Amino acid sequence: MIDPAAAAEALAPGFTTAVPDATSVARLADAGLRYALVDTSDPAAWADWLRADDRGFLQPTRDEKDFEISRAGIGYRRTIGVYDDSLTVDAAVPVATVDSWPAELTIPGSTIETPRTLTSWAISSVTVAPTHRRRGVARNLLEGELRTAHALGFPMAMLTVSESTIYGRFGFSPAALATDWTIDTRRARWIGPEASGRVEFIGIDLYRQELAELHDRVRLASPGEIDVWPHRWDQLVGATEPDASRTKQLRVVRHTDTFGATRGLALYRVTGGEPDFSQHVVEVERFDAETPDAASALWRYLLELDLVTEVKAHLRPIDETLRWQIADFRSAEVKTWEHQYLRVLDVAAAFSARSYAAPGSIVFSVSDGLGYAAGTWLLSVVEPVETETESLRATVTKLDAAPTGIPTLTLTANELASLYLGGVAATTLVDAGCIAERTPGDAAIADGILRAARAPWLSVWY
Ligand SMILES: CC(C)(COP(=O)(O)OP(=O)(O)OC[C@H]1O[C@@H](n2cnc3c(N)ncnc32)[C@H](O)[C@@H]1OP(=O)(O)O)[C@@H](O)C(=O)NCCC(=O)NCCS
């Protein structure tokens, strides 16, 4: 099994103990607050930090056993607390929290066979106690994270959000969308292909093991996905709360190909049934498929379950194939979310890491309130000379001024982040008034270069 602490340390040696950001330390000290690294090897300090995190996310308080499980699971992260030492009660419980770790972001050009990832700074657990809100604490947390990531040489920061209105001001913007599905199975007749292989029930322990292996492959086929830490899977299968009613309802089906290899896994729960036991709802908690056959087999299984009238699935890709495999388009209600947020910290490193759909050049004229991505950047993608199978890479050069004769987009760091994974079209952002093209048609040329082969997607929260 992957050791997340060792994996993170290998990606960014010393990241957990790098000094707390001096600017945030000073600014919060001026506000009477202490910004500090939490010693996660200290169970009491960890428990206090997690109490604050749970309180911030409106979660129930955990017990001592849960504190230790989570410390073992995510205590390897760089963990920051902001403390108000003037409190007379529970001053050891921070009034604000954040944590971060290096994670592998799948980028355009990646496939299972030829992975391409960008080691990025993942940020989570951003909370500020209701008693200390709207005093600039979150600003110091976020700006502190960006300064730290930049100082450590990370080209990208990333997060998922519980409130979409907060992070734009720090240069984050959605780069991968996700969809939630509610399917009326009485209308959604399967018209997709007959899948080969077989679908069978497996137990939750085997699922937990096979899921980690399967996801570590399938994540490489979708720009926007990240490597998932073992504790997240433990939470999904209920290993951290074995007695919860949700855990007891979980069922797993597996698709194996004609050679017996696992190609797909679906984790689901069945609820409801009222009033006559014929109207159950299937909640798909997770659905992973490595091949079109696996996706077809598992979706068909779910849609054709007896005594079920509705299937719900969360965090699916926007180009979900199921849309084209049901007889009635309108049997499915699909809600679109913004999900994977990115923040470019190093334009040259980030844009020279991914691959491109076509040769050509673009100039990005970027403004950035925090400075990291600001400047005029020439991105040149040339046809590889060595071999036809080599992917198209870019050289990225900072210029003093925009040259003439090259398609030029004027944008902020936010739109630059949205364009990065190749799933948000520059033409859309021009039409939306978010970015400007110097000459009509520049954005269309940029799209031809930037477009990703698959719609970017992220299948987890973090
Ligand atoms: C969201 C939260 C972190 C904000 O903390 P805070 O310390 O009050 O934020 P700050 O005072 O530093 O505000 C920073 C900026 O964000 C804005 N802001 C703060 N909370 C916001 C909210 N809920 N929605 C929109 N904007 C918000 C502020 O207006 C301020 O903007 P400005 O600097 O451009 O004027 C805090 O309210 C919280 O913990 N909420 C519950 C948990 C949560 O939602 N966490 C986010 C996880 S993704």
Side-chain angles (χ1 to χ4, degrees):
M1 189 189 289
I2 296 165
D3 173 358
E9 186 63 22
L11 288 173
F15 82 99
T16 44
T17 50
V19 290
D21 175 68
T23 308
S24 290
V25 169
R27 287 189 183 153
L28 287 168
D30 287 346
L33 299 170
R34 183 167 52 82
Y35 170 98
L37 265 178
V38 176
D39 175 4
T40 60
S41 68
D42 174 354
W46 172 259
D48 283 334
W49 184 88
L50 205 61
R51 279 188 186 101
D53 184 48
D54 284 340
R55 189 174 61 190
F57 283 111
L58 313 179
Q59 297 302 305
T61 305
R62 309 182 209 207
D63 61 26
E64 293 301 326
K65 187 171 121 274
D66 294 338
F67 288 141
E68 272 314 292
I69 291 172
S70 64
R71 191 166 74 90
I74 57 170
Y76 66 92
R77 294 180 178 173
R78 181 178 164 85
T79 306
I80 297 277
V82 175
Y83 298 85
D84 182 345
D85 295 321
S86 72
L87 290 176
T88 52
V89 180
D90 285 343
V93 177
V95 295
T97 61
V98 62
D99 69 9
S100 44
W101 67 102
E104 289 184 5
L105 170 69
T106 305
I107 56 179
S110 181
T111 61
I112 295 174
E113 295 73 32
T114 52
R116 180 160 295 171
T117 59
L118 185 71
T119 303
S120 303
W121 190 252
I123 300 172
S124 189
S125 290
V126 177
T127 73
V128 177
T131 47
H132 289 69
R133 273 184 197 159
R134 309 300 182 263
R135 301 185 200 173
V137 176
R139 176 169 288 280
N140 280 296
L141 293 180
L142 267 301
E143 292 185 1
E145 288 303 315
L146 296 181
R147 280 189 293 267
T148 302
H150 186 253
L152 291 171
F154 284 79
M156 187 75 77
M158 57 187 186
L159 43 75
T160 58
V161 310
S162 47
E163 282 189 84
S164 66
T165 49
I166 299 170
Y167 297 98
R169 58 176 56 75
F170 305 113
F172 288 91
S173 196
L177 306 178
T179 51
D180 281 359
W181 289 64
T182 303
I183 307 158
D184 178 345
T185 58
R186 288 165 302 194
R187 292 176 62 183
R189 191 169 45 82
W190 180 261
I191 56 164
E194 194 73 39
S196 61
R198 63 191 280 183
V199 172
E200 60 197 351
F201 280 107
I202 61 168
I204 205 83
D205 291 342
L206 181 57
Y207 171 72
R208 165 70 185 81
Q209 183 190 323
E210 293 202 347
L211 172 63
E213 293 163 6
L214 180 66
H215 183 265
D216 226 26
R217 296 195 300 276
V218 296
R219 73 176 166 94
L220 298 169
S222 289
E225 284 273 34
I226 64 168
D227 55 324
V228 173
W229 55 103
H231 184 63
R232 166 59 84 236
W233 298 145
D234 290 341
Q235 289 173 309
L236 178 73
V237 301
T240 56
E241 41 165 7
D243 297 328
S245 58
R246 174 192 157 274
T247 306
K248 292 177 178 167
Q249 290 174 323
L250 293 172
R251 300 269 180 269
V252 182
V253 280
R254 167 173 81 175
H255 174 261
T256 50
D257 65 16
T258 47
F259 301 102
T262 298
R263 298 296 184 191
L265 293 166
L267 176 74
Y268 67 95
R269 290 186 300 136
V270 184
T271 60
E274 296 81 10
D276 63 355
F277 205 72
S278 69
Q279 304 192 24
H280 290 86
V281 174
V282 165
E283 308 258 0
V284 182
E285 301 254 328
R286 201 170 163 88
F287 185 108
D288 293 87
E290 188 174 2
T291 60
D293 252 7
S296 293
L298 293 173
W299 272 125
R300 184 172 191 174
Y301 165 87
L302 292 165
L303 294 183
E304 293 184 349
L305 283 169
D306 289 333
L307 303 173
V308 168
T309 52
E310 196 168 88
V311 172
K312 291 173 179 278
H314 182 53
L315 280 191
R316 299 301 305 156
I318 55 168
D319 58 356
E320 174 68 73
T321 48
L322 177 65
R323 205 186 280 274
W324 304 95
Q325 296 176 315
I326 46 181
D328 184 348
F329 259 71
R330 296 183 191 180
S331 63
E333 278 179 32
V334 185
K335 179 176 174 182
T336 305
W337 297 81
E338 90 295 8
H339 191 45
Q340 174 68 289
Y341 279 66
L342 300 183
R343 203 299 173 207
V344 181
L345 294 171
D346 181 334
V347 178
F351 279 83
S352 57
R354 55 157 288 186
S355 73
Y356 293 87
S361 297
I362 324 167
V363 170
F364 293 126
S365 179
V366 186
S367 56
D368 181 352
L370 296 177
Y372 302 110
T376 302
W377 304 91
L378 171 64
L379 185 139
S380 300
V381 181
V382 287
E383 203 82 69
V385 280
E386 296 281 310
T387 149
E388 282 178 12
T389 54
E390 206 176 304
S391 57
L392 296 178
R393 304 291 286 268
T395 53
V396 183
T397 321
K398 194 168 191 183
L399 306 175
D400 293 332
T404 52
I406 298 178
T408 300
L409 303 178
T410 301
L411 68 178
T412 70
N414 296 73
E415 291 88 34
L416 187 71
S418 287
L419 294 179
Y420 181 70
L421 294 177
V424 177
T427 42
T428 305
L429 298 184
V430 168
D431 290 349
C434 302
I435 69 180
E437 54 184 356
R438 187 165 61 185
T439 308
D442 282 359
I445 295 169
D447 284 340
I449 297 169
L450 295 169
R451 181 183 79 239
R454 300 274 307 265
W457 175 45
L458 171 66
S459 64
V460 291
W461 290 96
Y462 65 95

